[in-house]
Short mmCIF file of all heavy atoms in Angstrom, two decimals:
data_model
loop_
_atom_site.label_atom_id
_atom_site.label_comp_id
_atom_site.label_asym_id
_atom_site.label_seq_id
_atom_site.Cartn_x
_atom_site.Cartn_y
_atom_site.Cartn_z
N PRO A 35 -9.39 1.78 5.78
CA PRO A 35 -9.28 1.68 4.33
C PRO A 35 -9.24 0.23 3.85
O PRO A 35 -8.90 -0.68 4.61
CB PRO A 35 -7.97 2.41 4.01
CG PRO A 35 -7.18 2.34 5.28
CD PRO A 35 -8.18 2.39 6.39
N CYS A 36 -9.58 0.05 2.58
CA CYS A 36 -9.73 -1.30 2.03
C CYS A 36 -8.44 -2.12 2.14
O CYS A 36 -8.49 -3.34 2.35
CB CYS A 36 -10.20 -1.24 0.59
SG CYS A 36 -9.09 -0.33 -0.54
N TRP A 37 -7.28 -1.48 2.00
CA TRP A 37 -6.03 -2.24 2.04
C TRP A 37 -5.75 -2.78 3.44
O TRP A 37 -5.28 -3.91 3.57
CB TRP A 37 -4.87 -1.39 1.55
CG TRP A 37 -4.75 -0.02 2.14
CD1 TRP A 37 -4.06 0.36 3.26
CD2 TRP A 37 -5.35 1.18 1.62
NE1 TRP A 37 -4.18 1.71 3.48
CE2 TRP A 37 -4.96 2.24 2.49
CE3 TRP A 37 -6.17 1.47 0.53
CZ2 TRP A 37 -5.37 3.57 2.29
CZ3 TRP A 37 -6.58 2.78 0.32
CH2 TRP A 37 -6.18 3.81 1.19
N SER A 38 -6.11 -2.02 4.47
CA SER A 38 -5.91 -2.51 5.84
C SER A 38 -6.86 -3.67 6.14
O SER A 38 -6.48 -4.67 6.77
CB SER A 38 -6.13 -1.38 6.84
OG SER A 38 -5.22 -0.33 6.62
N ARG A 39 -8.11 -3.56 5.70
CA ARG A 39 -9.07 -4.65 5.90
C ARG A 39 -8.62 -5.92 5.18
O ARG A 39 -8.76 -7.03 5.69
CB ARG A 39 -10.45 -4.24 5.40
CG ARG A 39 -11.13 -3.19 6.26
CD ARG A 39 -12.61 -3.08 5.93
NE ARG A 39 -13.23 -1.97 6.62
CZ ARG A 39 -13.60 -1.98 7.90
NH1 ARG A 39 -13.40 -3.08 8.62
NH2 ARG A 39 -14.16 -0.93 8.46
N GLU A 40 -8.08 -5.75 3.98
CA GLU A 40 -7.64 -6.93 3.22
C GLU A 40 -6.46 -7.60 3.92
O GLU A 40 -6.40 -8.84 3.98
CB GLU A 40 -7.24 -6.51 1.80
CG GLU A 40 -6.99 -7.67 0.86
CD GLU A 40 -8.25 -8.48 0.56
OE1 GLU A 40 -9.38 -7.95 0.77
OE2 GLU A 40 -8.12 -9.64 0.10
N LEU A 41 -5.56 -6.81 4.46
CA LEU A 41 -4.42 -7.39 5.17
C LEU A 41 -4.85 -8.11 6.44
O LEU A 41 -4.23 -9.10 6.84
CB LEU A 41 -3.39 -6.31 5.48
CG LEU A 41 -2.54 -5.94 4.26
CD1 LEU A 41 -1.91 -4.56 4.41
CD2 LEU A 41 -1.46 -7.00 4.01
N LEU A 42 -5.92 -7.64 7.07
CA LEU A 42 -6.47 -8.36 8.22
C LEU A 42 -6.96 -9.74 7.79
O LEU A 42 -6.73 -10.74 8.49
CB LEU A 42 -7.61 -7.56 8.86
CG LEU A 42 -8.20 -8.18 10.13
CD1 LEU A 42 -7.20 -8.15 11.26
CD2 LEU A 42 -9.49 -7.45 10.53
N LYS A 43 -7.63 -9.80 6.63
CA LYS A 43 -8.11 -11.09 6.12
C LYS A 43 -6.95 -12.03 5.78
O LYS A 43 -7.07 -13.25 5.94
CB LYS A 43 -8.94 -10.88 4.85
CG LYS A 43 -10.23 -10.11 5.04
CD LYS A 43 -10.91 -9.93 3.69
CE LYS A 43 -12.13 -9.03 3.75
NZ LYS A 43 -12.72 -8.80 2.41
N LEU A 44 -5.85 -11.47 5.33
CA LEU A 44 -4.74 -12.27 4.83
C LEU A 44 -3.76 -12.71 5.91
O LEU A 44 -2.84 -13.48 5.63
CB LEU A 44 -3.99 -11.50 3.74
CG LEU A 44 -4.77 -11.24 2.45
CD1 LEU A 44 -4.00 -10.26 1.56
CD2 LEU A 44 -5.04 -12.54 1.70
N THR A 45 -3.94 -12.21 7.13
CA THR A 45 -3.04 -12.56 8.23
C THR A 45 -3.84 -13.14 9.39
O THR A 45 -5.06 -13.10 9.40
CB THR A 45 -2.26 -11.31 8.70
OG1 THR A 45 -3.18 -10.27 9.04
CG2 THR A 45 -1.33 -10.80 7.60
N SER A 46 -3.11 -13.67 10.36
CA SER A 46 -3.75 -14.35 11.49
C SER A 46 -3.25 -13.80 12.81
O SER A 46 -2.15 -13.22 12.89
CB SER A 46 -3.46 -15.85 11.43
OG SER A 46 -3.85 -16.40 10.19
#
Side-chain angles (χ1 to χ4, degrees):
C36 59
W37 48 91
S38 300
R39 290 194 187 281
E40 190 66 20
L41 282 159
L42 183 67
K43 295 178 187 176
L44 294 170
T45 55
S46 304

